[in-house]
Amino acid sequence: LDKLVFCEIGMDNRAATMAHFRMANKQYNTWGHSDTSGYSTMDYFVSSKLYELPYEESQKHYSEKLILQNGMCTCYVNPTAKYNLLNSRSFYGLSDYEKIILCPQSLFKIHPDFDMYIFEILLKNPDSSIVLLENERKTKMYERWDKVLKNYPKYFGVLSRVKFVPGQSHQNFVNLMKCSDVLIDPYPFGGCNSSLESFSLFKPLVTQPSIRINGRFTYGFYKKMGMNELIANNMEEYVDITTRLLEDKEFYDKQVNLLKERSDILFEDQETLKEWEELMSE
């Protein structure tokens, strides 16, 4: 082969094994698994200027030579357009009489640094609950949180407003997004597909970009849409933005309307297709 593209080294054992071999003159990695391979057989990592730090800084995070496209680097179809979303909050055991903040990620993405964000948001918003997706890590999460509470007694009581929803089908998962008031992107390991799902539903999503690509997708999507008011630089800003979305209806409606006007730009990105065609035909 002249060129071979690996879309997700690290997500599948077969792909991870095959990537150790030199099967093409030039071999490319990209962010179906958002991290460098570390393999000497991988020549290039294809990413986007939307997500990465300036080139010299970003290149330090990759064993491959970094290629930065101008487009989104992947052409997405709107992930929720095919659904008729009708389920109410009661379907998930949630109340209509409180504000729901959803973190739509697997628990392995909830870094200990993000625990303090969760506690601070709950402390400042006593009429709100944070909803997480339940899996086998739930017990370990509570063990970790118990240690935090021993050092920060002011947070006693807020854990009663952390609620877990069992795993759902994709349709029920995005319906849960629709039922929520505000979505939050964990730091420093954020979302990607879930962010596009939330934007397709016009749901405001608070984010804080980290230094590596796996914490910068949501930031990049906002950059593509020309939106910056839901991007935080630190925990204090993150908590303030979340609180403002919950308390300031005018600010909330402004973000929703901007998403209605601009989120289509995130889907079926033709610039991406052209850039991949040019890269493969060089």
Side-chain angles (χ1 to χ4, degrees):
L1 301 174
D2 294 307
K3 297 188 176 186
L4 179 59
V5 179
F6 287 83
C7 295
E8 40 76 60
I9 297 172
M11 298 295 287
D12 180 274
N13 287 334
R14 293 166 298 176
T17 300
M18 291 170 64
H20 278 290
F21 295 91
R22 172 61 67 178
M23 296 185 288
N25 185 39
K26 296 295 181 184
Q27 301 197 148
Y28 298 78
N29 187 14
T30 190
W31 50 265
H33 177 47
S34 50
D35 205 351
T36 183
S37 66
Y39 296 177
S40 60
T41 49
M42 288 295 111
D43 302 301
Y44 301 100
F45 191 101
V46 186
S47 185
S48 169
K49 295 175 184 176
L50 292 169
Y51 316 129
E52 300 283 357
L53 292 168
Y55 185 86
E56 294 299 326
E57 288 297 308
S58 294
Q59 180 61 73
K60 296 175 184 177
H61 302 151
Y62 297 96
S63 60
E64 308 92 342
K65 181 175 174 57
L66 185 60
I67 296 173
L68 294 181
Q69 295 186 343
N70 293 309
M72 291 179 62
C73 198
T74 297
C75 183
Y76 279 88
V77 174
N78 187 314
T80 65
K82 62 182 178 181
Y83 293 139
N84 186 19
L85 303 175
L86 299 174
N87 290 338
S88 65
R89 286 185 178 183
S90 60
F91 178 83
Y92 307 97
L94 301 174
S95 169
D96 290 327
Y97 301 101
E98 62 181 340
K99 294 176 180 177
I100 297 297
I101 305 165
L102 175 65
C103 183
Q105 303 297 331
S106 297
L107 293 183
F108 78 85
K109 287 191 178 183
I110 310 299
H111 191 278
D113 287 351
F114 195 66
D115 292 347
M116 300 303 292
Y117 290 61
I118 291 172
F119 289 133
E120 277 294 312
I121 289 170
L122 291 171
L123 188 66
K124 289 198 171 184
N125 298 279
D127 59 345
S128 301
S129 289
I130 288 181
V131 174
L132 300 172
L133 302 174
E134 183 174 354
N135 63 22
E136 69 280 356
R137 291 175 178 260
K138 177 182 175 181
T139 301
K140 292 183 178 180
M141 293 292 292
Y142 274 113
E143 291 174 354
R144 195 170 84 198
W145 290 340
D146 284 342
K147 294 177 182 178
V148 174
L149 292 176
K150 289 178 182 178
N151 295 320
Y152 299 93
K154 68 177 181 177
Y155 296 129
F156 275 114
V158 301
L159 277 185
S160 63
R161 290 185 283 118
V162 176
K163 300 181 179 179
F164 288 89
V165 170
Q168 304 287 325
S169 68
H170 186 254
Q171 181 168 341
N172 288 339
F173 169 67
V174 295
N175 193 96
L176 176 60
M177 289 184 174
K178 186 179 179 182
C179 291
S180 302
D181 293 296
V182 173
L183 276 67
I184 54 175
D185 198 25
Y187 174 85
F189 191 162
C192 180
N193 291 318
S194 57
S195 301
L196 290 165
E197 289 156 351
S198 66
F199 294 148
S200 73
L201 298 169
F202 318 127
K203 285 293 179 179
L205 173 64
V206 184
T207 192
Q208 178 183 336
S210 56
I211 63 171
R212 289 180 173 79
I213 188 175
N214 55 30
R216 298 180 65 85
F217 289 115
T218 308
Y219 164 81
F221 300 151
Y222 275 133
K223 193 174 175 182
K224 179 80 169 174
M225 292 187 288
M227 297 175 63
N228 58 25
E229 291 185 301
L230 301 183
I231 301 170
N233 295 304
N234 51 52
M235 185 178 76
E236 182 179 2
E237 287 186 11
Y238 193 106
V239 174
D240 286 346
I241 293 170
T242 306
T243 302
R244 187 179 179 190
L245 283 170
L246 293 168
E247 295 181 351
D248 186 340
K249 187 177 186 303
E250 183 177 343
F251 178 69
Y252 182 92
D253 290 344
K254 175 187 176 182
Q255 305 309 317
V256 171
N257 289 332
L258 284 172
L259 289 172
K260 287 179 178 178
E261 293 170 7
R262 302 179 184 183
S263 60
D264 278 351
I265 199 173
L266 300 176
F267 304 111
E268 301 186 47
D269 180 20
Q270 299 304 299
E271 182 179 24
T272 285
L273 299 181
K274 182 178 179 181
E275 287 185 298
W276 273 104
E277 287 177 354
E278 290 174 351
L279 179 62
M280 292 296 101
S281 61
E282 282 179 355

